[in-house]
Amino acid sequence: MNIAVTGINFVRQAEVAGRLRRLLSADAVLHAEEDTRSYECDGLSAYRQLPMVVALPSNEEEVQQVLRTCHELKVPVVARGAGTGLSGGALPMGDGVLLSLAKMRRILALDPVARTARVQPGVTNLAISEAAAPCGLFYAPDPSSQIACSIGGNVAENSGGVHCLKYGLTLHNVLRVRAVTVEAEVVEFGSEALDSPGLDLLALMIGSEGMLAVATEITVKLLPKPETACVILASFDDVEKAGNAVADVVAAGVVPSGLEMMDRPAARAVEEFVHAGYDLEAAALLLCEADGTPEEVEEGIAGMTEVLRRAGATAIRASNSEAERQKFWAGRKAAFPAVGRISPDYYCMDGTIPRKKLGEILNFIAAMEKKYGLRCPNVFHAGDGNLHPLILFDANDPDQLERTERFAGEVLEKCVEVGGTITGEHGVGVEKINQMCVQFAAAEIERFQGVKRAFDSEGLLNPGKNIPTLQRCAEFGRMRVRGGQLPRPELPRF
Amino acid sequence: MESVVRDWSQKIRASAASKHPFRLRGGGSKDFYGQTLEGEVFDTRAYAGIVAYEPSELVITACCGAKLTEIESAMSEHRQMLAFEPPHFAQFGSGATLGGMIAAGLSGPRRQAAGALRDFVLGVKIMDGRGEVLAFGGRVMKNVAGYDVSRLMAGALGTLGIILEVSLKALPLPAAEATLRLELPEDKAIETLNKWGGRPLPISASAWTGGELGVRLSGAAAAVAAAQKKIGGELLEPEQGERFWTGIREQTDPFFRNGAPLWRISLPPTAPPLKLPGEPLIEWGGALRWLCSRADARTVRDAAKRAGGHATLFRGGDKSVGVFQPLAPALMKIHKELKREFDPQGIFNRGRMYPEL
């Protein structure tokens, strides 16, 4: 992917920063490079760009003021939460304002009876569950970055997590988003009731990658914490068998609260790092969890054990205590950092496929490892077919980065080919914008642009992310017929 | 089947050119729902059938004209269900279709536990007002590529396009179910439902009216048995329980046959009794209040708004008061823009949702 770095126009910078300083306190508007540097990328650090100006509003009124000013001056705005996103959705613009919601991190209300929390966008995902814990409640979506990622960012990306198989994505757990439009108007999508009149704009807003409006307040649903949970660790001597076992578990009639898979290279990396007690001889490991009342869990675990045994598991262990359950999960949750230890860099993919295609896609990935000469351990949210293959590379070697991106591109296109999607939960951002042209036809991309126009007719909110221009797709199409030779080799690559 | 789509596309292109309005219609079971019925009837039943159903993928894909009964019986053969329990309202038309179900966006009793219809929409294929066939979403559980246009179609009342195909998430049928009946006054029922909601109980539906609260438990047999002890009340015979929930879901229960206009009031579940004239029936753990009432629209709407929700004149009554709660101007502006993008000539279901759309 080639994204050119934009130089800063200092005259424009002084104008925009000056205008914003009249509205926000002096320390809430940054433009000096030493201050703006830390905003140059999100979790996808291969892409970097200094923002022209950073604005840090502390309340909704200030968000309105920033947007009103930017709208008037025709300055693009990129909203940012905690900056943990993995697709470059919060990559700043050299001619734009980076709007950080980090200062808006108050839990405004927590209603244990109605089981809702009203929070500002900068509140971290985990902070909501922590605040709800004394009431026996929790906020269900649990992306692996939950200690750091903000709820505003979760709304922008429609984040999932290991428990979304049973509890759903952000979309299923948010009741209401209050937001400011690019024209600085406050709007409410959804409500504290279960539905709202008119079109379901809340569904559009969630996962819109900051391109429709800027969220300032979010009401989330809280669920009663399950009384207990138990996880099975099952070993398989063949990856495809493990894949089929996943389908069997799902078809058997119990929805597990988590159903994860890891191949041997991933399990080995993890075991060295956290000593979770994983079977390192297995070709693939499944983690299969049941939660609920003690009766439900007992029934669920018995049923799943039987299904896994029939599916050919070579070893099955059920956690016999909460500590052991946590230990089993610790390995899965540490998969990314563990892989980070065995390679200078890794590139995390996020395709989703129909579960039955798991074997096919794993064979494809193995072939790609050979083709590009790069290793690729695999971790999956297997229950919902969401893959996170991790390509290992060294970013200091431009050739490796190039091969990595082509490797990833081919895998994502394979996901589309088998009936899946290029992104299950990390978003398109800048990272997968070319693959959007593979997944969608021109008319569909035009309708997406129409949705964008309906909210933001001048295209000032996070332009260039999520939805490609047709021109870009045409160029990408040409790139592909030329056998992967990128046009304009003089442009910098990241 | 492809010829049907081709014919429709030609028809839509021609109608767009002459701005000839259509009223999209399946079995007509929800003709009563919405603002006005305008335009020539466009029967969507020619494009029918189940496209793909793979129980182990928990996904079913079917065409707009597929009968809802056909879909549900195919699923029940594999012990699966549409967990949002969409109402058929067969008594009001000639058999609900999938397209109509999505366009109406209505969910039944299990919504309080399982989620709404829109939560189960994974992907759609639509024909827009230009006669173009467009696919959004897919057949997989997680998909964040592009805007969530497929869920936007749920409950859009056909104002944005013809729904051609839909992929829905299926869920396994619960292993066990039990219905309990308790005697409680309205305020106490709301309080109790919210208290239960905060505990890990397998409650899948609730309905209170006239001092009686019905509660359905669904899940593993042991969990249902354990919860039954915690909740108490009288246990109904399975057929009796099933009949009760069908009556609520399909609105064949005597409550819905009282003759007065029927209001659907959606509220935060903790909202206290609204004390409006007429009979209420409370579902979804307190979050949905049906009201048979001749009270004037403003009284009902103001009460709903004060309580943090909205009121729909669901069936009967004088529609000139506006069937749906009016939208804030900034939201209406977005609605109009979206309508223009998907249906530039305004040929689909004009005025079915709001007169302006």
Side-chain angles (χ1 to χ4, degrees):
Chain A
M1 165 95 51
N2 51 326
I3 297 270
V5 169
T6 310
I8 308 283
N9 175 335
F10 295 108
V11 178
R12 180 74 161 161
Q13 183 185 50
E15 181 195 9
V16 174
R19 282 286 298 274
L20 293 177
R21 284 209 176 89
R22 279 189 244 154
L23 304 165
L24 273 59
S25 64
D27 63 345
V29 181
L30 315 174
H31 76 282
E33 192 180 320
E34 66 263 31
D35 298 325
T36 58
R37 180 61 72 187
S38 55
Y39 296 91
E40 68 178 350
C41 66
D42 60 13
L44 185 69
S45 57
Y47 299 86
R48 290 169 193 268
Q49 164 69 55
L50 271 183
M52 180 171 72
V53 174
V54 176
L56 295 128
S58 9
N59 54 47
E60 183 179 272
E61 209 166 46
E62 290 186 353
V63 173
Q64 279 180 283
Q65 286 170 333
V66 172
L67 287 170
R68 192 175 293 122
T69 305
C70 291
H71 187 242
E72 184 198 319
L73 299 176
K74 308 292 169 224
V75 181
V77 179
V78 177
R80 172 186 164 113
T84 58
L86 293 171
S87 57
L91 182 74
M93 299 179 71
D95 57 355
V97 167
L98 191 281
L99 180 64
S100 166
L101 283 311
K103 280 189 175 177
M104 293 175 63
R105 51 161 175 239
R106 278 192 304 135
I107 294 178
L108 300 169
L110 196 149
D111 184 339
V113 186
R115 290 146 278 136
T116 57
R118 197 155 54 80
V119 303
Q120 290 188 320
V123 171
T124 63
N125 172 295
L126 189 62
I128 302 175
S129 283
E130 283 174 349
C135 313
L137 302 169
F138 77 116
Y139 175 63
D142 58 345
S144 53
S145 57
Q146 70 180 144
I147 312 171
C149 65
S150 69
I151 188 70
N154 289 180
V155 166
E157 303 294 334
N158 190 15
S159 308
V162 294
H163 288 104
C164 65
L165 179 60
K166 180 168 176 183
Y167 296 107
L169 307 162
T170 303
L171 173 91
H172 304 101
N173 290 280
V174 166
L175 287 169
R176 164 185 164 273
V177 171
R178 187 176 155 100
V180 180
T181 68
V182 71
E183 286 160 357
E185 274 190 278
V186 174
V187 284
E188 297 217 359
F189 306 116
S191 73
E192 294 191 359
L194 292 180
D195 46 44
S196 296
L199 298 170
D200 196 341
L201 302 186
L202 182 64
L204 273 188
M205 183 67 187
I206 296 175
S208 64
E209 303 196 8
M211 296 185 63
L212 303 183
V214 177
T216 52
E217 201 179 289
I218 295 138
T219 303
V220 300
K221 278 202 279 193
L222 302 174
L223 299 179
K225 261 185 148 156
E227 281 174 56
T228 184
C230 176
V231 65
I232 297 170
L233 190 56
S235 310
F236 287 85
D237 57 10
D238 175 76
V239 178
E240 200 153 347
K241 266 192 214 163
N244 294 336
V246 169
D248 293 349
V249 168
V250 172
V254 178
V255 178
S257 55
L259 183 45
E260 298 284 314
M261 180 168 160
M262 217 180 290
D263 67 3
R264 186 187 292 139
R268 289 201 167 154
V270 160
E271 189 56 29
E272 253 171 61
F273 184 40
V274 292
H275 312 294
Y278 288 171
D279 176 357
L280 300 182
E281 297 315 307
L285 292 176
L286 286 187
L287 280 159
C288 191
E289 187 180 77
D291 70 3
T293 62
E295 303 86 4
E296 269 176 303
V297 172
E298 204 188 317
E299 216 173 294
I301 291 293
M304 291 192 291
T305 303
E306 182 52 35
V307 173
L308 292 170
R309 185 163 294 135
R310 265 187 279 135
T314 52
I316 295 178
R317 280 160 69 199
S319 60
N320 55 24
S321 66
E322 180 57 19
E324 191 171 50
R325 186 182 77 89
Q326 295 289 356
K327 198 171 112 183
F328 286 177
W329 274 119
R332 168 60 187 90
K333 289 197 172 181
F336 291 8
V339 164
R341 275 168 32 113
I342 60 167
S343 171
D345 298 279
Y346 67 89
Y347 187 99
C348 174
M349 281 177 274
D350 176 42
T352 301
I353 53 161
R355 275 176 288 260
K356 65 176 172 192
K357 301 284 185 181
L358 214 51
E360 185 179 338
I361 204 91
L362 284 168
N363 289 332
F364 182 82
I365 291 172
M368 291 298 105
E369 283 186 290
K370 288 202 186 77
K371 177 172 172 186
Y372 290 104
L374 295 166
R375 286 185 298 151
C376 182
N378 288 291
V379 292
F380 307 137
H381 301 303
D384 36 37
N386 188 195
L387 320 169
H388 292 320
L390 302 160
I391 306 174
L392 309 185
F393 73 105
D394 180 352
N396 290 323
D397 175 355
D399 181 57
Q400 282 200 29
L401 178 56
E402 157 100 42
R403 275 184 280 146
T404 299
E405 293 197 331
R406 280 164 46 203
F407 186 151
E410 284 208 47
V411 173
L412 294 182
E413 284 157 34
K414 181 74 180 174
C415 289
V416 175
E417 187 195 310
V418 301
T421 175
I422 57 171
T423 174
E425 58 182 1
H426 294 170
V428 174
V430 291
E431 182 201 23
K432 286 167 283 238
I433 199 146
N434 285 341
Q435 277 74 34
M436 283 291 282
C437 313
V438 178
Q439 186 162 340
F440 294 99
E444 290 149 1
I445 286 173
E446 279 177 344
R447 279 312 85 70
F448 282 145
Q449 289 163 350
V451 170
K452 167 78 171 156
R453 273 194 300 274
F455 287 77
D456 172 20
S457 59
E458 292 167 88
L460 291 173
L461 292 177
N462 214 7
K465 314 282 171 60
N466 193 3
I467 311 297
T469 60
L470 291 179
Q471 190 192 346
R472 183 176 191 112
C473 288
E475 282 171 13
F476 179 56
R478 278 208 304 280
M479 277 178 3
R480 295 181 64 215
V481 290
R482 282 207 222 132
Q485 284 295 308
L486 291 169
R488 303 186 63 195
E490 76 282 7
L491 286 177
R493 308 260 173 75
F494 299 90
Chain B
M1 288 301 274
E2 270 164 29
S3 68
V4 175
V5 174
R6 240 188 343 264
D7 290 350
W8 284 6
S9 179
Q10 277 170 9
K11 196 167 160 182
I12 297 305
R13 276 172 222 265
S15 304
S18 61
K19 301 198 181 201
H20 176 74
F22 282 122
R23 170 185 152 204
L24 307 178
R25 188 175 192 262
S29 58
K30 285 141 199 117
D31 276 352
F32 67 83
Y33 184 58
Q35 190 66 51
T36 49
L37 298 175
E38 208 182 308
E40 183 196 341
V41 169
F42 187 113
D43 193 328
T44 57
R45 288 175 294 185
Y47 194 59
I50 293 172
V51 178
Y53 174 38
E54 290 181 72
S56 71
E57 296 289 326
L58 296 181
V59 179
I60 187 162
T61 304
C63 298
C64 55
K67 284 249 169 43
L68 194 43
T69 47
E70 178 197 351
I71 290 169
E72 289 188 323
S73 70
M75 294 174 83
S76 71
E77 267 177 46
H78 293 274
R79 294 206 43 80
Q80 293 187 348
M81 62 176 174
L82 294 175
F84 49 94
E85 294 189 324
H88 295 232
F89 294 144
Q91 66 273 34
F92 301 118
S94 58
T97 60
L98 179 78
M101 174 191 89
I102 299 292
L106 298 170
S107 309
R110 204 181 296 273
R111 189 261 177 269
Q112 82 174 79
L117 175 142
R118 67 87 118 134
D119 294 329
F120 289 83
V121 174
L122 299 175
V124 293
K125 198 189 268 182
I126 63 165
M127 185 177 291
D128 72 359
R130 299 167 183 84
E132 285 187 278
V133 176
L134 310 163
F136 299 101
R139 293 183 192 178
V140 289
M141 294 298 146
K142 288 161 95 180
N143 186 354
V144 294
Y147 304 117
D148 200 344
V149 174
S150 49
R151 290 190 173 97
L152 181 67
M153 296 299 147
L157 290 171
T159 56
L160 301 178
I162 305 172
I163 293 158
L164 296 174
E165 287 176 28
V166 186
S167 294
L168 292 164
K169 181 177 176 179
L171 278 186
L173 283 170
E177 294 211 305
T179 297
L180 305 169
R181 191 156 60 192
L182 298 90
E183 305 243 334
L184 283 172
E186 187 179 2
D187 55 347
K188 196 79 189 150
I190 294 170
E191 195 188 308
T192 306
L193 286 168
N194 279 287
K195 196 175 73 195
W196 287 338
R199 291 166 54 190
L201 292 166
I203 297 176
S204 68
S206 57
W208 177 94
T209 191
E212 279 193 355
L213 174 65
V215 180
R216 184 177 62 191
L217 304 169
S218 305
V224 168
Q228 218 173 296
K229 283 197 201 103
K230 288 180 200 158
I231 285 176
E234 172 203 356
L235 176 70
L236 300 193
E237 288 299 318
E239 311 76 55
Q240 202 186 353
E242 204 160 303
R243 227 175 15 250
F244 176 73
W245 295 112
T246 304
I248 303 293
R249 173 179 175 177
E250 299 301 339
Q251 302 194 344
T252 49
D253 187 273
F255 169 87
F256 295 97
R257 286 188 262 145
N258 125 336
L262 178 64
W263 287 88
R264 178 189 184 278
I265 308 174
S266 183
L267 299 177
T270 49
L274 291 180
K275 297 198 165 38
L276 289 162
E279 267 306 290
L281 182 143
I282 303 174
E283 273 197 85
W284 299 358
L288 182 64
R289 322 267 171 109
W290 298 99
L291 181 72
C292 292
S293 176
R294 299 192 193 280
D296 72 284
R298 173 167 295 176
T299 309
V300 179
R301 292 241 151 86
D302 286 353
K305 208 169 176 181
R306 267 198 310 277
H310 65 101
T312 304
L313 182 55
F314 194 75
R315 193 168 52 244
D318 174 12
K319 293 193 177 200
S320 70
V321 300
V323 163
F324 299 104
Q325 192 111 353
L327 297 175
L331 286 182
M332 181 49 91
K333 188 174 152 229
I334 298 170
H335 276 66
K336 284 186 186 167
E337 295 291 334
L338 285 170
K339 172 75 173 171
R340 200 172 7 251
E341 293 292 347
F342 282 89
D343 178 18
Q345 304 305 326
I347 59 170
F348 293 133
N349 286 12
R350 249 184 223 172
R352 184 79 186 254
M353 183 183 275
Y354 289 101
E356 301 94 316
L357 294 181

